[in-house]
């Protein structure tokens, strides 16, 4: 969790954020949020920023030489009716994103197999290589088999 003023200057980092960014809270005021998260949409720093209906933004952060994906959400920090800044919450979704990609790739492969099978049967049928003894369009069942 990070806290910024209304301009985007850091004012507080919780212990997990300090460890993630290697930055102590007492030095936080020297940093701007976009210096820590350069891939963050700068429009989110404005009080009137549009919040997407498609969920939180995803930012990539390098940790220990590896890229990690984090969702980032912003909440207003107010006192009475005065805007003081923003609270930013980051959540690591790297494994979730990887699992989603694997699932999508598996679905795509099965869809390709399914689609390819239909095409192959159609090509074989059009080429006249196989004769189907039953006409599926004129298939009739005995009335005793009907429910």
């Amino acid at each position: 969790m990070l806290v910024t003023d209304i301009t985007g200057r850091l004012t507080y980092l919780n212990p997990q954020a300090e460890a993630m960014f290697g930055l102590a809270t007492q030095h936080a005021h020297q940093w701007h949020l976009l210096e820590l998260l350069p891939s963050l949409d700068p429009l989110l720093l404005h009080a009137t920023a549009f919040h997407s209906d498609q969920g939180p933004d995803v930012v990539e952060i390098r940790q220990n030489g590896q890229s990690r994906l984090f969702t980032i959400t912003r909440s207003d920090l107010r006192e009475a009716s005065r805007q003081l800044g923003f609270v930013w919450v980051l959540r690591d979704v790297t494994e979730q994103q990887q699992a989603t990609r694997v699932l999508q790739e598996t679905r795509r492969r099965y869809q390709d197999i399914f689609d390819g099978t239909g095409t192959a049967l159609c090509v074989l049928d059009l080429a006249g290589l196989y004769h189907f003894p039953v006409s599926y369009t004129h298939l009739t069942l005995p009335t005793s088999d009907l429910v």
Side-chain angles (χ1 to χ4, degrees), residues 2 14 100-101 122 135 144:
L2 309 164
N14 72 353
T100 299
R101 278 195 296 273
C122 180
S135 173
S144 60

Side-chain angles (χ1 to χ4, degrees), residues 8-54:
R9 286 258 165 236
L10 293 170
T11 58
Y12 172 78
L13 288 83
N14 72 353
Q16 291 85 358
E18 286 182 344
M20 182 176 9
F21 294 109
L23 181 64
T25 294
Q26 63 261 29
H27 302 294
H29 67 279
Q30 300 169 5
W31 288 79
H32 192 275
L33 183 64
L34 292 177
E35 292 174 303
L36 288 182
L37 303 170
S39 62
L40 181 67
D41 182 356
L43 292 177
L44 291 175
L45 295 173
H46 299 285
T48 59
F50 172 73
H51 292 282
S52 174
D53 291 336
Q54 299 189 7

Side-chain angles (χ1 to χ4, degrees), residues 24-147:
T25 294
Q26 63 261 29
H27 302 294
H29 67 279
Q30 300 169 5
W31 288 79
H32 192 275
L33 183 64
L34 292 177
E35 292 174 303
L36 288 182
L37 303 170
S39 62
L40 181 67
D41 182 356
L43 292 177
L44 291 175
L45 295 173
H46 299 285
T48 59
F50 172 73
H51 292 282
S52 174
D53 291 336
Q54 299 189 7
D57 280 18
V58 177
V59 293
E60 184 177 347
I61 299 173
R62 297 214 37 98
Q63 284 186 311
N64 303 324
Q66 293 183 331
S67 291
R68 309 285 300 169
L69 296 174
F70 290 83
T71 58
I72 185 163
T73 55
R74 184 197 84 176
S75 299
D76 293 342
L77 184 60
R78 296 183 175 273
E79 183 178 298
S81 62
R82 198 174 111 222
Q83 177 80 35
L84 301 175
F86 304 106
V87 176
W88 304 85
V89 177
L90 287 85
R91 191 177 72 116
D92 191 342
V93 293
T94 306
E95 284 82 15
Q96 178 184 354
Q97 293 283 332
Q98 289 170 344
T100 299
R101 278 195 296 273
V102 168
L103 180 61
Q104 289 170 341
E105 178 61 21
T106 301
R107 284 182 178 164
R108 186 195 62 78
R109 286 181 184 166
Y110 281 117
Q111 188 64 43
D112 287 349
I113 291 169
F114 179 77
D115 291 345
T117 301
T119 303
L121 289 175
C122 180
V123 169
L124 290 173
D125 187 37
L126 289 174
L129 298 175
Y130 291 96
H131 174 70
F132 296 103
V134 177
S135 173
Y136 293 108
T137 57
H138 294 66
L139 182 66
T140 57
L141 296 173
T143 54
S144 60
D145 292 344
L146 298 176
V147 179

